[in-house]
Amino acid sequence: MEFPGQNISQDNHTTLEEFTLIGFSDIPNLQGLLFAVFLILYIIILMGNSLIIMITKVDPSLQTPMYFFIGNFSVLEICYVSVTLPRLLTDLCGQNRKISFLACAVQMYFFLILGATECFILTAMAYDRYVAICNPLLYPVIMNNRLCIQLAVACWTASIPVYTGFTAILFTSPFCGSNQLNHFFCDVPPVVQLVCGDTFILEMLTYVIAALVVTIPFFLILVSYVKIISTILKLPSASGRAKAFSTCSSHLMVVTLFFGSGIIVYMKPKSTHSTGMDKFFSLFYTILIPVFNPIIYCLRNKDVMVALGKFLQKWILL
């Protein structure tokens, strides 16, 4: 049997021309509601992160390494959700859920690169907090402008060669059977499921790369926070401990949410994969966490709230 959007070659492998994203088509009565919800969330993400980018650029009190990385993180979040959400919104408001082979590969490529960049930037932010709390006297010397820029460039570019190779290997693999992806975007697990024959090498590559870009950064963040908490607990005053904890709590919340959901999806064995749960966790780290980030960094940070108030007051007076 030949499925739409594919040609069968003589060696019984499928030459795919397109995929069909099943997404949330199994709940047709909720398509309109889901479209409205995801559109509102997308607008919140764009507006919230754009505000953070602007105030970290224009407010003199936020011209520090910590807010430099928060600004980078907000730029990243806008790019990250824009890889998947516009396509999801298009699928929810139309019947054509097909995505070309090339478009699927490009979407996965940028999704993986931006996801890895998020891991690296969160690690750089943990290092910044470690230096600020554990070596406060040397903080201005260590976290100088040059190092911050170097760390940011490394975070944005480090995963490009890795995922260029991985995406090329995956999408030059032979595909067979259905071309339907039971997901709302081109993620690694559902695409690997459509590959013909033994996928052991692809699965091992997935685990190894996930270990490099997810597990190792998470471990480094964990080590940083063990040292940070140890240092904070040694502070003599309760107010000093409270202030130190407050500067780390927002970042720690984001780390827990993002890495927790990512590790569950990419590091668990294939035999335990559940399509429904994978979709849920994917929604969590691709959409819900980017919604939470501006809220977490604004509402839990007095400096950002003050800067935001001044920024909004200035624009209202204009």
Side-chain angles (χ1 to χ4, degrees):
M1 178 180 178
E2 184 174 343
F3 291 87
Q6 62 187 39
N7 295 322
I8 307 300
S9 60
Q10 293 181 351
D11 58 359
N12 293 326
H13 288 161
T14 305
T15 304
L16 280 181
E17 297 173 355
E18 59 188 20
F19 292 103
T20 299
L21 293 168
I22 295 177
F24 301 99
S25 59
D26 54 339
I27 43 176
N29 295 332
L30 295 178
Q31 300 295 291
L33 176 62
L34 289 174
F35 176 83
V37 169
F38 290 138
L39 179 60
I40 292 170
L41 292 178
Y42 190 37
I43 293 171
I44 291 172
I45 292 168
L46 294 179
M47 291 181 62
N49 284 288
S50 295
L51 271 175
I52 290 177
I53 293 167
M54 285 187 283
I55 62 175
T56 55
K57 288 291 184 183
V58 302
D59 195 288
S61 66
L62 302 184
Q63 304 301 307
T64 65
M66 181 173 76
Y67 295 109
F68 169 78
F69 288 114
I70 288 176
N72 267 264
F73 193 69
S74 293
V75 173
L76 173 64
E77 290 291 64
I78 291 174
C79 298
Y80 186 60
V81 297
S82 296
V83 171
T84 57
L85 247 180
R87 173 73 210 197
L88 174 57
L89 292 172
T90 302
D91 289 343
L92 286 170
C93 68
Q95 297 301 316
N96 184 13
R97 301 175 183 275
K98 300 185 188 314
I99 181 171
S100 71
F101 188 79
L102 177 60
C104 186
V106 170
Q107 184 187 51
M108 180 187 290
Y109 177 66
F110 282 105
F111 173 77
L112 292 174
I113 286 176
L114 293 170
T117 302
E118 185 153 348
C119 295
F120 298 149
I121 288 183
L122 287 171
T123 307
M125 292 168 75
Y127 177 69
D128 171 71
R129 292 299 82 206
Y130 163 76
V131 176
I133 292 172
C134 299
N135 295 287
L137 297 178
L138 294 176
Y139 180 70
V141 178
I142 296 174
M143 297 303 296
N144 54 62
N145 287 337
R146 182 179 178 183
L147 179 63
C148 289
I149 293 171
Q150 288 174 340
L151 285 173
V153 171
C155 290
W156 282 93
T157 60
S159 63
I160 291 176
V162 175
Y163 280 122
T164 299
F166 176 78
T167 307
I169 291 170
L170 177 54
F171 281 88
T172 53
S173 301
F175 290 86
C176 56
S178 172
N179 68 336
Q180 295 189 340
L181 287 175
N182 195 0
H183 215 302
F184 61 90
F185 71 99
C186 291
D187 202 1
V188 175
V191 173
V192 170
Q193 288 177 3
L194 301 184
V195 174
C196 285
D198 188 4
T199 58
F200 176 78
I201 294 177
L202 283 172
E203 290 170 28
M204 286 301 102
L205 272 175
T206 302
Y207 293 138
V208 169
I209 293 173
L212 290 173
V213 303
V214 179
T215 310
I216 292 177
F218 182 72
F219 176 75
L220 292 174
I221 292 171
L222 191 62
V223 170
S224 297
Y225 271 100
V226 168
K227 294 184 177 181
I228 287 171
I229 292 171
S230 175
T231 302
I232 290 175
L233 292 176
K234 294 176 184 177
L235 294 176
S237 68
S239 60
R241 289 194 296 271
K243 184 177 180 181
F245 271 122
S246 69
T247 64
C248 301
S249 59
S250 299
H251 177 254
L252 196 56
M253 287 175 65
V254 173
V255 166
T256 303
L257 291 170
F258 180 77
F259 279 94
S261 55
I263 288 172
I264 288 172
V265 172
Y266 289 100
M267 295 301 291
K268 68 179 181 180
K270 182 181 178 182
S271 58
T272 63
H273 272 286
S274 165
T275 302
M277 290 303 294
D278 283 356
K279 283 184 186 180
F280 171 77
F281 282 114
S282 295
L283 278 175
F284 199 74
Y285 65 75
T286 59
I287 299 174
L288 295 181
I289 293 176
V291 171
F292 295 149
N293 287 344
I295 299 172
I296 291 171
Y297 281 119
C298 287
L299 296 183
R300 295 182 60 85
N301 191 306
K302 292 181 181 179
D303 293 336
V304 173
M305 287 298 293
V306 170
L308 182 59
K310 290 191 294 184
F311 179 81
L312 293 176
Q313 187 179 26
K314 179 181 177 181
W315 278 99
I316 290 171
L317 291 176
L318 289 175

